[in-house]
């Protein structure tokens, strides 16, 4: 594949490109899902192809071909140049300089999840579902997923890299109903469970069958729980909910292409401005956020991004102040800061975009119990149920599957239908404490959408439970 990519780059330069890169990708992905004790989905899909991106007269062009052959590589290169030449108007683009990158990278796995037989995956799900059994649990679901991707990148700036990324994940859901009311509990999270860049040992360690009885019992208990009251109070968010909060109200606003408005038509913009770098107070001094594509096990972990920029940990927010954006070589050159490193594409048929890697809220000190101990009257919220946030990532409302009252430092009665709202910098400004490294967890999601045509990025977030003061919960009267 490396030779094919090199041939594509040469063909693009010969056709008039001032810059060119080519990515060849071979991917195999599997999904197994069961519902109510029956197999619902067994999918095993392979794809391969090559994409070529070029600059001609300052305009981008992109084309792809499913043929991993000389004809496919040359054809994609020539079409990408033709598309760039056809772009109307006058274009000026500069790419931040990068040293020629070379090398290979492979995910660390003990057991390749793709090699685990599909029948074993089905049995894994059915056993987990069986453990959810309860008279008032009317819908049970379990799933596992696995993916292996090999990709090669060659660019006219000297990049020549090869990476093999292996990932897998799993999750389950229990839906309980009674008298026209329903409640859901999920593990380890809703919206697709958790995934990691790891082997089948990660799925086994999640312990779906072990956790299932607790999940079912809580789903049933929520049917009888009181609704969450409205008001302003102290809230403690569990790590899973905090990861989604981080994703939506920090990760997306700091994508520099959104800041410059190039995602406005589909994914939205950002409340941030380029001039905010180094001066905007994003949150309290307890807020420290990093983007780290070197985090072990992260879905956003790699050695080189899809522009050939080496992976590097980056400070995003330091003691509450904005210190960095997620950038491409183009947007880094435009703002005059950074050097890219956040460009990724969803396969060979898509052009790279600025995407989150592993965006982490750095841990503080203490345990979840320590956070709760300093709450006289508040709420503990766990497992995301819903989210809504405006196009600028400023005003938001999140709902969680379950909540508990906190009275004098201890968990009290269970509550259902909990929601909280806020304005991004004000909410993060109310951050009062973050639990320490022992409570910190890194987990991945596979459904981050962006771009036209749409792309789904696989990203991870690290967080520990955290405490926020004076937060609006429920619907304000």
């Amino acid at each position: 594949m490396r030779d094919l990519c090199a041939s594509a780059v040469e063909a693009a330069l010969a056709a008039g490109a001032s810059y060119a890169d080519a990515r060849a990708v071979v991917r195999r992905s599997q999904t197994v899902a069961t519902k109510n004790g029956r197999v619902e989905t067994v999918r095993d899909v392979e794809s391969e192809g090559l994409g070529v991106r070029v600059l001609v007269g300052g305009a981008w062009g992109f084309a792809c071909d499913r043929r991993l052959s000389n004809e496919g590589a040359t054809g994609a290169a020539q079409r990408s140049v033709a598309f760039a030449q056809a772009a109307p108007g006058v274009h000026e683009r500069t790419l931040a300089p990068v040293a020629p990158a070379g090398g290979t990278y492979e995910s660390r796995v003990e057991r390749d999840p793709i090699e685990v037989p599909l029948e074993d995956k089905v049995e894994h799900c059915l056993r987990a579902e069986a453990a959810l059994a309860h008279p008032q649990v009317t819908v049970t679901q379990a799933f596992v997923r696995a993916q292996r991707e090999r990709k090669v990148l060659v660019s006219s700036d000297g990049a020549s890299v090869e990476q093999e990324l292996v990932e897998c994940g799993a999750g389950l859901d229990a839906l309980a109903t009674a008298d026209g009311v329903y409640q859901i509990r999920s593990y380890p999270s809703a919206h697709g469970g958790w995934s990691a860049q790891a082997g089948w040992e990660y799925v086994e360690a999640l312990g779906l069958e072990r956790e299932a009885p607790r999940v079912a019992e809580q789903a049933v208990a929520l049917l009888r729980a009181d609704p969450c009251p409205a008001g302003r109070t102290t809230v403690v968010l569990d790590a899973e909910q905090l990861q989604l909060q981080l994703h939506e109200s920090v990760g997306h606003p700091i994508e520099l292409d959104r800041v410059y408005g190039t995602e406005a038509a589909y994914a939205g913009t950002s409340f941030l401005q380029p001039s905010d770098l180094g001066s905007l107070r994003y949150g309290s001094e307890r807020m420290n956020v990093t983007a780290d594509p070197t985090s072990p096990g992260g879905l956003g972990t790699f050695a080189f991004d899809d522009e050939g920029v080496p992976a590097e940990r980056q400070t995003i927010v330091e003691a509450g102040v904005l210190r960095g954006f997620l950038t491409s070589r183009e947007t880094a050159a435009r703002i005059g800061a950074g050097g890219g490193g956040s460009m990724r594409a969803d396969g060979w048929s898509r052009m790279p975009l600025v995407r989150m890697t592993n965006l982490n809220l750095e841990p503080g000190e203490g345990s979840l119990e320590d956070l709760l101990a300093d709450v006289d009257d508040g709420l503990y919220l766990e497992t995301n149920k819903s989210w809504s946030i405006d196009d600028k990532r400023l005003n938001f409302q999140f709902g969680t599957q379950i909540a508990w009252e906190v009275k004098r430092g201890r968990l009290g009665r269970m509550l259902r239908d909990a929601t909280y709202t806020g304005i991004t910098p004000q909410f993060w400004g109310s951050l009062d404490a973050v639990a320490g490294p022992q409570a910190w967890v890194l987990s991945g999601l596979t459904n981050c959408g962006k771009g036209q045509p749409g792309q789904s990025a696989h990203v991870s977030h690290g967080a520990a439970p955290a405490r926020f003061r004076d937060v609006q919960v429920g619907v304000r009267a």
Side-chain angles (χ1 to χ4, degrees), residues 429-468:
S430 73
L431 176 63
D432 179 58
V434 183
Q438 291 185 337
W440 193 89
V441 61
L442 180 76
S443 65
L445 56 91
T446 61
N447 61 347
C448 178
K450 189 177 179 181
Q452 291 177 297
Q455 301 188 37
S456 292
H458 296 187
V459 306
S460 284
H461 301 292
R467 187 175 63 220
F468 299 81

Side-chain angles (χ1 to χ4, degrees), residues 225-291:
D226 292 329
C228 180
R232 299 195 71 87
T233 190
T234 297
V235 300
V236 177
L237 302 184
D238 80 317
E240 187 267 355
Q241 173 59 36
L242 193 58
Q243 288 167 351
L244 186 62
Q245 180 76 54
L246 187 69
H247 180 97
E248 300 293 344
S249 64
V250 181
H252 281 306
I254 62 170
E255 295 166 342
L256 196 51
D257 56 346
R258 293 177 64 116
V259 174
Y260 281 123
T262 56
E263 278 293 315
Y266 179 72
T269 59
S270 172
F271 73 93
L272 299 173
Q273 300 295 323
S275 58
D276 290 333
L277 189 65
S279 61
L280 179 104
R281 177 150 290 282
Y282 212 114
S284 76
E285 292 187 355
R286 303 284 186 179
M287 184 185 186
N288 294 284
V289 177
T290 58

Side-chain angles (χ1 to χ4, degrees), residues 139-359:
V139 179
T140 61
Q141 298 180 103
F143 81 95
V144 298
R145 61 169 297 272
Q147 180 174 292
R148 182 173 62 210
E149 180 181 84
R150 179 185 170 217
K151 59 182 179 180
V152 171
L153 169 71
V154 174
S155 79
S156 59
D157 281 352
S160 180
V161 300
E162 182 173 346
Q163 303 182 89
E164 184 171 85
L165 308 178
V166 178
E167 59 185 54
C168 59
L172 53 80
D173 303 285
L175 180 72
T177 58
D179 302 323
V181 176
Y182 77 90
Q183 292 291 324
I184 189 170
R185 281 297 279 139
S186 306
Y187 172 80
S189 77
H191 322 302
W194 279 358
S195 290
Q197 196 175 120
W200 184 249
E201 63 278 0
Y202 177 79
V203 172
E204 293 179 326
L206 286 176
L208 299 190
E209 186 176 2
R210 178 192 70 234
E211 298 293 333
R214 173 188 61 81
V215 172
E217 289 169 6
Q218 288 185 348
V220 172
L222 282 167
L223 297 173
R224 304 184 298 271
D226 292 329
C228 180
R232 299 195 71 87
T233 190
T234 297
V235 300
V236 177
L237 302 184
D238 80 317
E240 187 267 355
Q241 173 59 36
L242 193 58
Q243 288 167 351
L244 186 62
Q245 180 76 54
L246 187 69
H247 180 97
E248 300 293 344
S249 64
V250 181
H252 281 306
I254 62 170
E255 295 166 342
L256 196 51
D257 56 346
R258 293 177 64 116
V259 174
Y260 281 123
T262 56
E263 278 293 315
Y266 179 72
T269 59
S270 172
F271 73 93
L272 299 173
Q273 300 295 323
S275 58
D276 290 333
L277 189 65
S279 61
L280 179 104
R281 177 150 290 282
Y282 212 114
S284 76
E285 292 187 355
R286 303 284 186 179
M287 184 185 186
N288 294 284
V289 177
T290 58
D292 189 359
T294 70
S295 300
L299 293 188
T301 296
F302 49 79
F304 309 93
D305 79 344
D306 284 346
E307 290 188 310
V309 179
E312 186 175 57
R313 185 176 187 270
Q314 178 188 3
T315 297
I316 300 297
V317 177
E318 183 178 36
V321 177
L322 179 68
R323 297 296 183 188
F325 289 106
L326 298 175
T327 64
S328 62
R329 292 180 62 192
E330 177 186 349
T331 56
R334 185 172 177 181
I335 200 173
S342 298
M343 286 285 273
R344 291 193 292 160
D346 179 14
W348 54 269
S349 62
R350 295 291 185 264
M351 192 168 176
L353 300 172
V354 176
R355 305 308 301 259
M356 286 175 252
T357 56
N358 304 308
L359 190 73

